[in-house]
Each structure stands twice: as structure tokens, then as C-alpha cells.
Amino acid sequence: MSISIVWRSVELSASLPVGYGAEVWADFEHESGARLRRPGFWDGEVSGEGGAGAVWRVRFAPPLAGRWEWAFGSSSGVLEVSQVPAGETNPFYAHGFWQMSPGGRSLVHADGTPALLIADTAWALPWRATVDQVRSYAEDRQAKGFNAVLLMSVQPDMRAVGPRDRTADEGFDVAFEDLPDGHLLQPRAEYFQYLDQLLEVLVEHGIVPVLQPVFQGFGWKGLDVAGTVVPADEYATYCRYLVARYGAQPAIYLVGGDGTGREPQVSAGGAEVHAVDCYEQPTGIHYRPHIRASAHQDADWLDFQWCQTGHTGEHVAERVADMWRNTPVRAVANGEPTYEQHGGLDVAGGWWQGHEAWSNLCAGGTMGVVYGAGSLWQWRLHASEPGHSAFFIAPDAGWREALGFGGSTYVGLVGRVLAGLPLVDMEPDWTRVISGRALRGADGLLIVYREHGGPLMVFDDSVPLDYRIVDPRDGSVVATGRRDTPGDPLPDPGGAPRVYICL
């Protein structure tokens, strides 16, 4: 008998005579009769007196307290699970993993607690960063309010070359020996064992890994991504591997990355994730800028669509609004606004990022907001590391310098300004105010963002009279009160960005 806590991952191991790509399962049954099935994952070859074989593991995060019986390979046992201890501060242990809301527009924790994705973009972290670096990164992002990070799970460029060393200029670790040949059949257990440590640090800091299997777009250096080349069945097998290895902790699966969404690998991967993930964590697609973001809109496996507005420093919230109107309903977000200092010191800097985040959210991107910085997404080791296109990096910055760009503070504040509000399945609202971008939510909730503030007229008697007005640049509440009548405006002198909240 072993002991665990609700939503904390436990690991079982077995030696089996099958290799990577085989289907291996573990079954778990709760005393209530609830049953869950988790896929196992290959973790390297072993040999000994009993002959050759492979290490297989299964990870399981019990969603219910009580007695669980399990069976894995030829072994079985009992797991006694206790409730979450009082004072748990990590929201994914206190409230469970993210799922989609009842209306499909937003995120909720497993216990129904509303959630808003506040994501950073550190695509290259998995194969470039060290454990100590990720700890520094996670401490910074957690302190600013981020709760997710977009990651390419493997270095995707087939023609990229460099030392197999995370600490060397142009170096990177290798996940699959045969990826340069367009295949995913020869994984390196050492790579994924190290990635285990990196993702564990992120989760410890309340940051959800958004896992992209193999990119379909630009990639790391634009040197022929494998995501459009690997056979669809190999891509699906790798998606199952990611669910098996990392799905007993908070995760989002970004099965399409920077492509059209119609690559055969995307649908194969999405269907596989949907079939094997017993926790039903979110699965979706992230598009390149000039593509209509509606591929597989009616697929059972699709939970969200993320557009991209390119890297030219323009605010194009209309793309989010356009996605929001697609049916069947799926959650939407702008998954890649212009990266801060992307190719120049004056590109998308500072408050540009805050305005972009609030505009996208109120246009219908109610899954959340996403931020990125030049030199950070590539995990450029230092300000003079060679081998990166000047168009994509932030001048005179490595990842550490980019971590401090001012725009990240403004984006991180979005979730804190809205914390505790009934955010589930909010909708854009163009009828109750004549200025600003607005959202409506449960219990009469009205949220309005105005770039320059000023008095706000409300044209709906059902809007609550109580209000607070927030400066989104620092999160401070600049005014609170109660209107005397529904026809009275929310008072503000104007001249600065404002978020108005009526509830």
C-alpha cells in the first residue's frame, strides 16, 4: 500500500519486453467505482541476467481522495489518497487541473473554479535551458502573475546543427536521434528525463506547460521543421507519449503549432490526445498569422483555437473577434502577439503589450492572454550568442535580459486585476456601453477596457450599480463606489488606461 494526496502524481514502474511506440496501460479504480486509465511510457532500455527489456513507467494523479486499486503490467496494489491539506497555495493542487468550461469559452479547474490563462512564450526552453535557469525563469514569471508557458517539446528544425550542450553557443539537446531524417522512432530517454526536471520546476511555481509536439511553422531557426514531414502515425505516437509522461500534472496540448492546422499530423495528434487523456486537459491549435483559424472546428478533440497576429507591432484584435464567431463554439485567444523588442528596441514595447492583452481579451479571447519577448522565445544564451536571425531577436539581449522587459509586467497583471470574478464563459458585449471594449459575465458582471479612460456610460438597467475602476498598468484600484441610478456614468477624469468592473 502507498499513500498520496489528491492531484499529486505518483509513479509506478515495470520492466517489459517492448520498446518505444508500444501501447502499455495501467488501470485505476476508486472505491466509488470511478475508473481511470493511464498510458505508460518507455523510459529507456535495460539488460541483465533476465535478458533485455525496457523500463516502463506510468504516472497517475488521483482526482479523488480515498482508496484506489491499480494494475500495471503483472503488478497490482492499493493507493490511499488523502484530501488536499489546508493552506495549499498551488492552484492546480488545491483545485485540480484545467479543463474547459461548460460553455467551452474559458478554463476552469476540475472543481469548477474559474481560471484565466496568462501565458508566456519560451518555446526553446525544453532543449536549451538548465534546471537552475528554469528556476530563475519560473520565479520571475510566477511573481508577475503568469500561469502558463508555450513550449516546443523538441528542437524541431531538421537542419539545425550545434553542440549537444545546453550551455554552449548554438548548442541544444536532442530528443529524437532520427528527427533530422523526418522521423520520431528513436527517442533519447536522457532528454526526457531532464525535461521531467524542467517541467517539474514550472509546475511547482504554478506554471502550466503548454506542450507543442513538433512545430509546423518557422521552428527555432527556420531550418526545415519536422512537424510537416514526420508520418502522422509517428506524430500521434509521440503525442500519446507526451500525455503518458506529462499528463499526470497540469498540461495543455498544442497539437498544431504555427501552421495551417490542416496538416495530417495535427488531426492525428489531436485525436490521439483526446483518446488517451483521462483528465481531459485542453487540446487545440495555434496558427500562423495569415491563416483562417477554423481547422477541425467541429472535431471532438478540439477545445481551443489560437490565432497569431504576426510580429509587425500592430493591434489586430479583430482576428480574435472573428475566431470567436466560429461554430461550433471553441475557446479562443491570440496565441502570439508581436514579441516585445522583436528585431528592434522600439517594437511592441512596454504598455503596448498591456493594451494588446486587454484588447484581445475583450474581443472574445476569454481563454486568456499570451505574451512573448524576442531572445527569450529562442532561449538565446547571452546577448552576443551568434546563429540567430536579427529579425527575430531582441537587440543586445539574451534570455535573462529579455526576462526583464517591461511589457511582461503589464500582461501578468491581467489575471490579478480579474482574480475572484465569475469569469466562466464571458462574452464580448457591444450593447451595454458605447465606448471601449467590453465583456459580460455571470451575475450581471460587466468588464470594460478603455485605452484612455474617462467617464463611462452604461445603457442597461441590469448592470450592477457597484463598481470599481482599476489602472491596468499597476493593478491599483483608483475608484470604487455605487452609482445612484442605472443612468449615472462611472466617473473617471480620463487620460490613462482604465478597466471598469461592475458586479
Side-chain angles (χ1 to χ4, degrees):
M1 179 182 294
S2 54
I3 300 174
S4 185
I5 301 173
V6 169
W7 294 114
R8 294 278 185 168
S9 179
V10 296
E11 182 176 286
L12 307 171
S13 301
S15 179
L16 301 173
V18 291
Y20 173 81
E23 290 197 33
V24 173
W25 297 89
D27 293 294
F28 299 83
E29 183 171 354
H30 187 252
E31 60 188 54
S32 67
R35 296 181 179 181
L36 294 177
R37 201 174 195 220
R38 287 283 295 143
F41 62 91
W42 171 91
D43 201 29
E45 302 297 319
V46 294
S47 59
E49 294 182 1
V55 176
W56 281 80
R57 306 187 194 278
V58 66
R59 291 172 178 164
F60 174 65
L64 298 172
R67 181 184 177 92
W68 288 86
E69 295 183 359
W70 60 265
F72 177 45
S74 60
S75 300
S76 61
V78 174
L79 181 65
E80 292 289 350
V81 179
S82 60
Q83 292 285 4
V84 178
E88 175 61 67
T89 59
N90 189 311
F92 301 99
Y93 299 143
H95 302 291
F97 301 162
W98 278 342
Q99 302 172 350
M100 300 311 301
S101 61
R105 291 292 192 189
S106 61
L107 296 172
V108 294
H109 288 274
D111 68 357
T113 301
L116 187 69
L117 173 130
I118 310 294
D120 190 25
T121 307
W123 290 122
L125 178 155
W127 69 86
R128 298 220 83 195
T130 66
V131 172
D132 287 342
Q133 290 172 351
V134 172
R135 186 166 289 109
S136 297
Y137 168 84
E139 289 171 354
D140 178 274
R141 279 349 196 197
Q142 181 185 41
K144 289 176 177 173
F146 287 88
N147 58 18
V149 58
L150 278 59
L151 305 172
M152 298 182 197
S153 65
V154 302
Q155 194 290 108
D157 292 358
M158 293 187 290
R159 292 192 295 111
V161 295
R164 195 170 292 194
D165 182 349
R166 295 168 180 267
T167 65
D169 282 6
E170 301 190 67
F172 58 93
D173 203 354
V174 173
F176 287 86
E177 296 287 5
D178 54 347
L179 186 144
D181 301 320
H183 285 283
L184 301 173
L185 298 174
Q186 300 174 26
R188 294 182 62 245
E190 299 87 349
Y191 176 88
F192 291 101
Q193 289 160 1
Y194 198 81
L195 185 57
D196 288 351
Q197 298 179 60
L198 304 184
L199 300 193
E200 181 179 351
V201 171
L202 294 173
V203 171
E204 285 174 356
H205 289 81
I207 298 174
V208 177
V210 181
L211 298 171
Q212 207 296 314
V214 189
F215 226 50
Q216 283 88 30
F218 178 79
W220 184 33
K221 296 184 177 182
L223 298 174
D224 296 341
V225 290
T228 60
V229 176
V230 298
D233 61 334
E234 295 179 22
Y235 192 88
T237 296
Y238 179 48
C239 287
R240 184 173 72 245
Y241 186 82
L242 289 175
V243 174
R245 187 151 201 147
Y246 302 113
Q249 63 187 31
I252 288 178
Y253 304 106
L254 202 62
V255 293
D258 198 32
T260 67
R262 301 191 182 279
E263 297 85 356
Q265 295 84 359
V266 173
S267 56
E272 188 70 17
V273 170
H274 182 71
V276 303
D277 177 24
C278 65
Y279 300 113
E280 299 182 346
Q281 299 199 76
T283 304
I285 303 173
H286 167 55
Y287 294 85
R288 63 179 60 142
H290 51 286
I291 293 296
R292 181 169 178 80
S294 60
H296 309 293
Q297 189 77 24
D298 59 353
D300 290 342
W301 56 263
L302 184 76
D303 295 315
F304 65 86
Q305 303 275 33
W306 288 357
C307 69
Q308 177 187 165
T309 48
H311 296 284
T312 57
E314 298 173 278
H315 299 294
V316 197
E318 292 77 13
R319 292 193 180 181
V320 177
D322 185 53
M323 277 194 306
W324 189 88
R325 299 183 184 99
N326 291 341
T327 57
V329 166
R330 299 290 183 251
V332 301
N334 183 351
E336 196 170 330
T338 302
Y339 293 149
E340 189 164 12
Q341 296 193 27
H342 176 95
L345 296 175
D346 59 346
V347 177
W351 177 244
W352 187 100
Q353 296 289 339
H355 175 71
E356 173 77 354
W358 283 103
S359 298
N360 286 319
L361 178 72
C362 292
T366 52
M367 185 173 182
V369 296
V370 180
Y371 167 83
S375 291
L376 177 60
W377 75 262
Q378 305 100 323
W379 209 265
R380 191 184 186 199
L381 297 187
H382 53 82
S384 57
E385 184 190 16
H388 299 280
S389 168
F391 177 76
F392 290 106
I393 59 172
D396 303 319
W399 72 270
R400 289 186 186 274
E401 291 80 11
L403 202 61
F405 291 171
S408 61
T409 298
Y410 300 124
V411 178
L413 279 170
V414 173
R416 292 182 171 168
V417 169
L418 301 179
L421 296 176
L423 304 179
V424 176
D425 292 326
M426 293 187 299
E427 298 183 359
D429 188 341
W430 303 104
T431 63
R432 296 194 287 178
V433 295
I434 61 172
S435 58
R437 295 185 178 271
L439 292 168
R440 70 166 68 219
D443 304 322
L445 173 66
L446 176 67
I447 299 170
V448 182
Y449 167 67
R450 297 186 71 189
E451 184 178 6
H452 302 294
L456 179 71
M457 296 297 299
V458 179
F459 297 91
D460 189 328
D461 290 354
S462 68
V463 174
L465 298 176
D466 292 325
Y467 66 84
R468 68 176 179 266
I469 303 174
V470 179
D471 186 336
R473 297 170 300 177
D474 60 12
S476 63
V477 176
V478 298
T480 61
R482 180 179 175 86
R483 295 176 294 147
D484 292 331
T485 72
D488 293 333
L490 279 68
D492 184 75
R498 291 291 183 260
V499 173
Y500 309 77
I501 301 171
C502 294
L503 183 61

